[in-house]
Amino acid sequence: MALMETAATMMFTDCSSPSSSTARLLHFTSCNVQKFPNTIYHSLRSNTLQFGISNPKFPKTIISRCSSSSPSAVQVTTEASATIIDGKRVAKDIREEVAVNISRMKDNIGIVPGLAVILVGDRKDSATYVRNKKKACDSVGINSYEIRLPEDCTEEEVLNHISKFNDDPSVHGILVQLPLPSQMNEQNVLNAVCIEKDVDGFHPLNIGRLAMRGREPSFVPCTPKGCIELLHRYDIPIKGKRAVVIGRSNIVGMPAALLLQREDATVSIVHSRTKNPEEITKQADIIISAVGQPNMVKGSWVKPGAVIIDVGINPVEDPESSKGYRLVGDVCYEEAKNIASAITPVPGGVGPMTIAMLLSNTLLSAKRIHNFS
Amino acid sequence: MALMETAATMMFTDCSSPSSSTARLLHFTSCNVQKFPNTIYHSLRSNTLQFGISNPKFPKTIISRCSSSSPSAVQVTTEASATIIDGKRVAKDIREEVAVNISRMKDNIGIVPGLAVILVGDRKDSATYVRNKKKACDSVGINSYEIRLPEDCTEEEVLNHISKFNDDPSVHGILVQLPLPSQMNEQNVLNAVCIEKDVDGFHPLNIGRLAMRGREPSFVPCTPKGCIELLHRYDIPIKGKRAVVIGRSNIVGMPAALLLQREDATVSIVHSRTKNPEEITKQADIIISAVGQPNMVKGSWVKPGAVIIDVGINPVEDPESSKGYRLVGDVCYEEAKNIASAITPVPGGVGPMTIAMLLSNTLLSAKRIHNFS
């Protein structure tokens, strides 16, 4: 994937990385840096998580050009900056709230929520995600159970483990780390997780309930739930607003659109077949982008005062970084932050919210199963 | 409901009439005719189904004002007319295709598809819908089974009948005529219909699969399926087009939006909380309107050349009609037909498609259950 400079009739791929809601895989993206000879590149390492208006890493004089529409792209850096939606802080708050609730639950009814994770094969990225989930569970007091199966195990073995976890009263949430090896039918495996423990919210019955008025899903998928939670925590009104979701993946774009509609936004969904997507995004009061295309959404795509939730986490080549890459969102942050009224940074925006929502869903499941409020 | 003249920040209700997909209830709407002193009203009776560009009932000289933006509304009647999408003819074609398939199935494997309908209470409109479905089944060779239960029967009785039909191999489709009496939980009742016989396509599992990429619903709800079928039969391209669905009901608007998205349209959903809906509809290549508001969509809401599928069937007072009312759509037909490139009339547009799709879904179910292609 190369960073694209032209916007008209742009083709892009959906952010449908083969991952569970808590795993947004880090596919390495080659950024054609030669195309930007005048650009000074930031070094955004994955551990550089402190963002904010006064962030010393983003002095106003640094020019970070994402767009080929050069003069305005440079000029906008002198304008007022957006509120930076600090997903890291919000996620921390949510974890603390979850921890308090878990402690209260344990004290009152002696129940500790449990999350089971099934990991098949030895993909490094998957192992990292599972480790992070385990650490997050530990930090809030959720018991975590992990099953590791070899790459060549059968679908039946996975289904057997799911079945055991479905019946295990100490387990309140079940995750199957995706992607699964090719010999397995992902749909069969995910459908086997009982709806009451589907804390990822990926079961079609959950999605159906999410889509239908008057119905309530058992669980809302973690990443889109995190996006909406950020809007709520920053008191950003949704009702009656024009919202555009970029990307229609099952795990982010589609459920995000359904959630926005449940909150009475007027929603448009832009995707790889959309002609002139910028014409639609420019009308949006709220943009949620989840396509996995670095810097695709230029400043010129954004209506002044819009709110931007950037779900993309795209590594692009960066010879100045010790890792050789840096992470950028779907949105050209440096341009958009001077046009939007609020924006999530990458990293430190939506990213930390996904696991926070997973913990929250696991707590919700335990509360529901044990009728504890 | 009064016919509204102003468009800005218009509030409207969704066409979520408490009906099964095959029952769009005829709620009587009082049309404030005094507001249109200069208007000559047509008499559109429910049996006046022949529409077409050369229809003598629509001489070009008759002025039918739906809008308060008077001069242009009058002028447009001199412009070229849209293709009239003849739903009655298409529905007839589909019924004939279904009949041929049923005959072939009977000859080859000796199976006759069966549709079971459960009607609770004695609502006149519901009885009419059920009678029409039975007649339609008879006409194509589907066996129909009908259970009539008294208004004061219990939910358990209804569930028992559903359970029997679920197990009955001669029944391939089950419909519960809505609305149900208030003592029953509609959700419980509809969820009891097994997914393999849910020819209405209303089960949340079906809706979830409809929403998800890479999944296939067992059945698509009949009315929205009929809308898309009309587009297909008239060779109207959907892929890459801007589509606007007006209304977000579970039975029409929401599934219609999901279907358009599956066909790679860029979809926006306009609803009662949308500010300035006309700004969005004016961008649409395809409009599907399903709100149940007579003449809400004015000519000024329509982009020249757009295709309009009007799902609304709204009775409005008409003292010149022997019935005292006439039927109109959500779209101001007389204005829109001179701006759109194609439009469905009301009646005779989407209306006849619903039962045709129900027959088609019942055939599909029987074919699937008996593995017949």
Side-chain angles (χ1 to χ4, degrees):
Chain A
M1 281 185 286
L3 201 151
M4 287 175 283
E5 290 180 275
T6 52
T9 320
M10 180 174 281
M11 303 292 281
F12 50 84
T13 57
D14 287 341
C15 184
S16 52
S17 60
S19 58
S20 88
S21 72
T22 55
R24 287 176 302 127
L25 297 175
L26 216 105
H27 295 301
F28 197 84
T29 305
S30 167
C31 174
N32 195 347
V33 290
Q34 300 92 297
K35 288 193 178 176
F36 298 89
N38 300 322
T39 309
I40 299 167
Y41 282 89
H42 309 300
S43 170
L44 297 188
R45 294 172 201 166
S46 54
N47 60 349
T48 308
L49 292 166
Q50 289 302 328
F51 283 79
I53 297 170
S54 61
N55 191 323
K57 299 214 171 203
F58 289 87
K60 288 283 176 66
T61 50
I62 287 184
I63 298 162
S64 176
R65 281 177 56 193
C66 307
S67 170
S68 56
S69 56
S70 44
S72 62
V74 177
Q75 283 158 14
V76 289
T77 57
T78 59
E79 294 170 14
S81 275
T83 298
I84 309 303
I85 298 176
D86 186 347
K88 202 184 169 202
R89 188 188 55 74
V90 173
K92 187 167 167 281
D93 291 348
I94 291 169
R95 285 179 187 220
E96 284 170 8
E97 291 158 21
V98 168
V100 167
N101 268 275
I102 286 172
S103 173
R104 194 169 56 85
M105 196 175 184
K106 192 177 173 184
D107 291 347
N108 279 269
I109 59 168
I111 297 290
V112 176
L115 177 69
V117 182
I118 298 173
L119 173 61
V120 185
D122 40 25
R123 283 179 67 118
K124 257 185 153 179
D125 50 1
S126 292
T128 304
Y129 295 130
V130 169
R131 194 167 54 245
N132 287 343
K133 286 168 195 170
K134 190 180 173 347
K135 267 165 63 180
C137 284
D138 291 348
S139 74
V140 296
I142 290 175
N143 289 334
S144 58
Y145 307 91
E146 195 182 316
I147 297 286
R148 287 184 183 243
L149 297 167
E151 182 80 17
D152 60 353
C153 77
T154 63
E155 188 176 310
E156 205 186 341
E157 282 178 86
V158 178
L159 292 176
N160 281 341
H161 283 287
I162 292 175
S163 176
K164 276 181 205 157
F165 284 136
N166 280 342
D167 295 336
D168 186 342
S170 64
V171 170
H172 304 93
I174 303 169
L175 282 189
V176 181
Q177 186 65 44
L178 302 180
L180 288 166
S182 55
Q183 75 271 19
M184 291 185 201
N185 181 325
E186 185 183 301
Q187 199 168 318
N188 287 349
V189 171
L190 291 184
N191 285 354
V193 175
C194 76
I195 191 90
E196 292 79 14
K197 298 185 179 183
D198 174 37
V199 286
D200 251 347
F202 290 163
H203 196 290
L205 193 53
N206 256 328
I207 298 292
R209 289 179 184 162
L210 190 64
M212 295 172 85
R213 303 187 79 189
R215 305 284 179 115
E216 289 299 326
S218 302
F219 301 100
V220 173
C222 301
T223 303
K225 187 179 180 182
C227 296
I228 303 298
E229 188 68 24
L230 286 176
L231 295 175
H232 287 170
R233 299 249 172 172
Y234 275 79
D235 288 328
I236 293 162
I238 304 175
K239 188 173 180 168
K241 298 294 177 189
R242 288 286 301 274
V244 173
V245 176
I246 313 178
R248 52 176 169 170
S249 68
N250 288 343
I251 60 171
V252 189
M254 179 268 290
L258 296 177
L259 279 169
L260 287 165
Q261 187 161 297
R262 282 180 90 89
E263 302 242 357
D264 288 333
T266 298
V267 183
S268 302
I269 303 110
V270 160
H271 51 76
S272 58
R273 303 296 177 191
T274 301
K275 292 171 188 159
N276 305 322
E278 69 281 10
E279 286 178 11
I280 302 170
T281 59
K282 251 191 289 193
Q283 299 173 358
D285 302 305
I286 299 167
I287 294 174
I288 296 184
S289 184
V291 284
Q293 287 281 2
N295 295 323
M296 188 186 76
V297 179
K298 314 295 176 203
S300 61
W301 291 35
V302 177
K303 183 170 90 170
V307 174
I308 299 176
I309 305 292
D310 189 351
V311 185
I313 300 183
N314 311 295
V316 293
E317 268 180 19
D318 183 1
E320 292 188 23
S321 157
S322 62
K323 290 192 174 179
Y325 70 90
R326 62 191 168 94
L327 297 175
V328 300
D330 293 344
V331 179
C332 182
Y333 183 83
E334 285 304 298
E335 283 183 21
K337 78 176 170 58
N338 299 300
I339 299 164
S341 62
I343 186 167
T344 57
V346 175
V350 176
M353 293 297 290
T354 301
I355 286 188
M357 290 296 116
L358 174 66
L359 302 175
S360 169
N361 275 354
T362 306
L363 169 65
L364 173 70
S365 177
K367 279 184 166 182
R368 198 185 282 146
I369 289 170
H370 298 284
N371 203 17
F372 180 75
S373 58
Chain B
M1 281 186 287
L3 202 152
M4 286 176 285
E5 289 181 276
T6 52
T9 321
M10 181 174 281
M11 303 295 279
F12 51 83
T13 58
D14 286 342
C15 184
S16 52
S17 60
S19 59
S20 89
S21 73
T22 54
R24 287 175 302 127
L25 297 175
L26 216 105
H27 294 302
F28 197 85
T29 304
S30 167
C31 175
N32 195 346
V33 289
Q34 300 92 301
K35 288 192 178 176
F36 300 91
N38 301 322
T39 310
I40 298 166
Y41 282 89
H42 309 301
S43 169
L44 296 188
R45 294 175 199 162
S46 55
N47 60 347
T48 308
L49 293 165
Q50 289 303 329
F51 282 80
I53 297 170
S54 62
N55 191 323
K57 299 211 173 204
F58 289 87
K60 288 280 176 68
T61 49
I62 286 184
I63 299 161
S64 177
R65 280 175 59 193
C66 307
S67 168
S68 57
S69 56
S70 44
S72 62
V74 176
Q75 281 157 16
V76 289
T77 56
T78 60
E79 293 169 18
S81 274
T83 298
I84 309 303
I85 298 176
D86 186 348
K88 202 183 167 200
R89 188 186 56 73
V90 173
K92 187 168 168 279
D93 291 348
I94 291 169
R95 284 179 186 222
E96 283 170 7
E97 290 158 23
V98 168
V100 166
N101 268 275
I102 285 172
S103 173
R104 193 169 58 85
M105 196 175 185
K106 193 177 173 184
D107 291 347
N108 279 270
I109 59 169
I111 297 290
V112 176
L115 177 68
V117 182
I118 297 173
L119 173 62
V120 186
D122 41 24
R123 283 179 68 117
K124 256 184 151 179
D125 51 0
S126 293
T128 303
Y129 295 131
V130 169
R131 194 167 53 244
N132 288 343
K133 286 168 194 169
K134 189 179 175 345
K135 267 165 64 178
C137 283
D138 291 348
S139 74
V140 297
I142 290 176
N143 290 332
S144 58
Y145 307 92
E146 195 183 317
I147 296 285
R148 286 184 183 241
L149 296 168
E151 182 80 17
D152 60 353
C153 78
T154 65
E155 188 176 312
E156 206 186 340
E157 282 176 85
V158 178
L159 293 175
N160 281 341
H161 282 288
I162 292 175
S163 175
K164 277 181 204 155
F165 285 136
N166 280 342
D167 295 338
D168 185 343
S170 64
V171 169
H172 304 93
I174 303 170
L175 282 189
V176 181
Q177 186 65 43
L178 302 180
L180 288 166
S182 54
Q183 75 271 19
M184 292 185 199
N185 182 324
E186 184 182 302
Q187 200 168 318
N188 287 350
V189 171
L190 292 184
N191 285 354
V193 175
C194 77
I195 190 91
E196 292 79 14
K197 298 186 180 183
D198 174 36
V199 285
D200 250 347
F202 290 163
H203 196 291
L205 193 54
N206 256 329
I207 298 292
R209 289 178 184 161
L210 189 65
M212 295 172 86
R213 302 186 79 188
R215 305 284 179 115
E216 290 297 327
S218 302
F219 300 100
V220 173
C222 300
T223 303
K225 187 178 181 183
C227 296
I228 304 299
E229 188 68 24
L230 285 176
L231 296 174
H232 287 171
R233 299 251 173 171
Y234 275 79
D235 288 329
I236 294 162
I238 303 175
K239 188 173 181 169
K241 298 295 176 187
R242 288 286 302 275
V244 172
V245 176
I246 313 177
R248 51 177 168 167
S249 68
N250 287 343
I251 59 171
V252 188
M254 179 269 290
L258 296 176
L259 279 169
L260 287 165
Q261 187 161 298
R262 283 179 89 89
E263 301 242 358
D264 288 332
T266 299
V267 183
S268 302
I269 303 109
V270 161
H271 51 75
S272 57
R273 303 297 178 190
T274 301
K275 292 170 188 158
N276 306 322
E278 69 281 10
E279 285 178 12
I280 303 170
T281 58
K282 251 192 289 194
Q283 299 172 357
D285 302 306
I286 298 166
I287 294 175
I288 295 184
S289 183
V291 284
Q293 287 280 1
N295 295 323
M296 188 187 76
V297 179
K298 315 294 175 202
S300 60
W301 291 36
V302 177
K303 183 170 91 169
V307 174
I308 300 175
I309 305 291
D310 189 350
V311 185
I313 300 183
N314 311 295
V316 292
E317 268 180 19
D318 183 0
E320 293 188 21
S321 158
S322 62
K323 288 192 175 182
Y325 71 89
R326 61 194 169 93
L327 298 175
V328 300
D330 293 345
V331 179
C332 181
Y333 183 83
E334 284 304 296
E335 282 182 21
K337 80 178 169 57
N338 300 300
I339 300 164
S341 64
I343 186 167
T344 57
V346 175
V350 176
M353 292 297 290
T354 302
I355 286 189
M357 290 298 116
L358 174 66
L359 302 175
S360 169
N361 275 354
T362 306
L363 169 65
L364 173 70
S365 176
K367 279 184 165 182
R368 197 186 281 143
I369 288 171
H370 297 285
N371 203 18
F372 180 76
S373 59

